[in-house]
Structure formats: structure tokens, C-alpha cells
Amino acid sequence: MSSLRNAIPRRAHKERAQPQARKKFGLLEKHKDYVERAKSFHKKEETLRILREKAMSRNPDEFYFKMISSRVVDGVHRPKSQANKYSHDELMLMKTQDIAYVIQKLQSEKKKIERLRGALHALDNKPLNKHVYYAEDREEAKEIRSRSLNINASPAQHNLPRNIRKKTTSSYRELEERTKRVEQLDKLYSEMALQKELQKPGRKRKLRDDEMASPTTRPVYKWRAERKR
């Protein structure tokens, strides 16, 4: 009976659309839309109730350290400026630690580059296998010699398997990327060392281009000679 009941064509019931007189209000709200809207409304209502209870039960004598480290500007709490949070000695110590980290990364990258170059050099200069040919006369010997010269003249990369060639290409790409990274770290180290030296006490000034023997793009400073006790 169930199969016969499903075989009978039935009318497709459609949801009621918005009446023509209420088209200006948009789509007609369905029950599932009302459920979502009611849940959102009650959630906001509960949040406001909790905040109202917290405000009513607030202790007027409570204290937080944030109260003295911030100020109210136009009704908004803004933290005070921390420009002078660290002393000069603490700033110099942090600069030294940053420079030490950059030096460590620079040395690590240089060691990796040396290992990569050594592996690629050994792979490029890998000796070819020797094969002994026997000829019956001079003509055959000349032919064999010319054929072997053509084989040896071909690049060694073509004699390698496909996976080895792929790894070699990726190694060369990695070597190029690490070389660029070393240049960037070296430049960063120079800039950080210069900034650290500029923070030290002593009179100094920046040299002009006409005062330098070989002008460079980087700034050059000169410190005034001081008498050491």
C-alpha cells in the first residue's frame, strides 16, 4: 500500500509569499526566521541583564592597577604611553641580545650554504665510469675515440637519473635563497650595530659626501676624539 500511495501524484504545497500590499516590507518572515531572531534577541537581553547585575553589585572600593596605568579619554580607557618604560642600560642590553640572535642566525645560514656548496661541488665533479673498448684496426679505433669524446663532452647533468636532477635543481634554488637571506641578515646586522653605537654617549656627527674619500649610500658618522683617563 505504501508503494501505491507514493505512486499517486500529489500537489506540491508552496510557502505563502508576501502579499502584494506588503511588498515594501521585503520577504515574508517564516517560522525558522522568527526562531533565529528570537534567539538573538533573548541572548542580547540576557547579556544586558548580567551586565546590569554586575553594575549593581560592584564594590565601590575595588582597585585594579590598570586604574593608575590608564586614563579616560572621551569615555574610553586608554593606556598611558610607555615610551620611557625601560632605562638606557636596559635598552642597550636588549639591543645586544637582538644583535647576538642575528649573528647566530647569520652563522647558521653560512654553515648551511657551505654544506650545500660542498654537496653540489661533489655532485658536479663526480668522475664518470670508465669503459675499455677494443678495436681491430685504426679506423675502428678512431671511430670509437670520436664517439667517446662526444659522450664525454655532453653535460654531466644529462647522465644523472631524473630524481637526482630534480634534487640538484631544488638544491641550487635553496642555495640561491639562502645566499639572499645571508645578504639580508648581514645588512640587518650592520644597521643594528650602527644604531647601538649611536646610542652610546659621545659627540658625533654625520659626514657629508664631500668629506668622505669614497661616498657610499649608507650613512657614515664620525665621533669626536675624547681624552681617556
Side-chain angles (χ1 to χ4, degrees):
M1 291 295 294
S2 60
S3 59
L4 292 176
R5 184 165 58 247
N6 293 333
I8 299 174
R10 298 177 182 178
R11 179 182 177 183
H13 294 277
K14 300 180 180 179
E15 292 184 351
R16 186 168 65 89
Q18 185 75 283
Q20 189 66 28
R22 296 178 55 87
K23 286 288 186 181
K24 58 182 179 181
F25 298 111
L27 297 175
L28 181 64
E29 186 183 40
K30 305 301 187 292
H31 179 70
K32 61 179 181 180
D33 302 329
Y34 162 75
V35 170
E36 291 186 5
R37 183 167 59 84
K39 285 182 180 179
S40 176
F41 173 78
H42 290 303
K43 183 179 179 182
K44 295 175 183 177
E45 194 177 34
E46 183 67 16
T47 303
L48 290 175
R49 187 188 63 80
I50 294 173
L51 291 176
R52 196 177 295 110
E53 287 183 359
K54 286 184 178 180
M56 291 176 63
S57 61
R58 183 178 65 87
N59 182 11
D61 298 329
E62 65 182 352
F63 172 77
Y64 298 101
F65 283 99
K66 203 73 173 180
M67 294 179 179
I68 60 176
S69 62
S70 63
R71 57 179 182 171
V72 180
V73 180
D74 298 332
V76 180
H77 286 270
R78 300 186 183 277
K80 292 183 179 179
S81 176
Q82 298 181 355
N84 300 325
K85 181 179 179 180
Y86 302 103
S87 63
H88 183 266
D89 295 337
E90 291 175 342
L91 290 174
M92 292 294 293
L93 178 60
M94 287 189 287
K95 285 281 185 182
T96 305
Q97 293 175 349
D98 294 342
I99 293 176
Y101 175 75
V102 172
I103 292 176
Q104 178 187 359
K105 296 298 292 183
L106 185 61
Q107 293 175 350
S108 175
E109 291 294 333
K110 286 183 177 180
K111 289 181 180 178
K112 291 178 181 178
I113 287 176
E114 289 179 2
R115 286 198 295 267
L116 269 175
R117 284 179 176 170
L120 292 173
H121 180 73
L123 185 62
D124 291 340
N125 296 336
K126 185 178 180 181
L128 298 175
N129 296 330
K130 293 185 178 180
H131 193 86
V132 180
Y133 295 93
Y134 296 94
E136 295 182 356
D137 51 8
R138 292 181 180 273
E139 296 295 332
E140 188 176 355
K142 290 181 181 180
E143 184 180 354
I144 293 174
R145 188 180 294 111
S146 62
R147 194 187 312 134
S148 63
L149 289 175
N150 291 335
I151 294 175
N152 293 334
S154 61
Q157 286 281 5
H158 296 290
N159 299 329
L160 297 174
R162 183 178 178 181
N163 58 340
I164 302 296
R165 292 202 305 268
K166 190 175 181 180
K167 289 183 179 179
T168 305
T169 306
S170 62
S171 299
Y172 274 112
R173 193 182 303 112
E174 182 183 357
L175 177 62
E176 184 179 358
E177 292 176 357
R178 291 193 181 277
T179 305
K180 291 181 180 179
R181 195 176 305 160
V182 164
E183 294 176 358
Q184 294 174 357
L185 288 173
D186 196 6
K187 183 179 179 181
L188 179 62
Y189 166 71
S190 302
E191 293 177 356
M192 294 177 67
L194 177 61
Q195 293 297 327
K196 181 184 176 182
E197 292 296 327
L198 291 176
Q199 288 183 353
K200 292 182 179 180
R203 298 184 61 182
K204 49 193 169 293
R205 67 183 183 88
K206 184 179 178 180
L207 296 181
R208 299 189 301 272
D209 292 341
D210 55 353
E211 295 178 338
M212 292 185 290
S214 56
T216 60
T217 56
R218 295 185 178 182
V220 179
Y221 294 86
K222 182 179 180 181
W223 274 257
R224 181 178 180 182
E226 295 182 359
R227 182 178 179 183
K228 303 294 183 180
R229 293 183 180 182

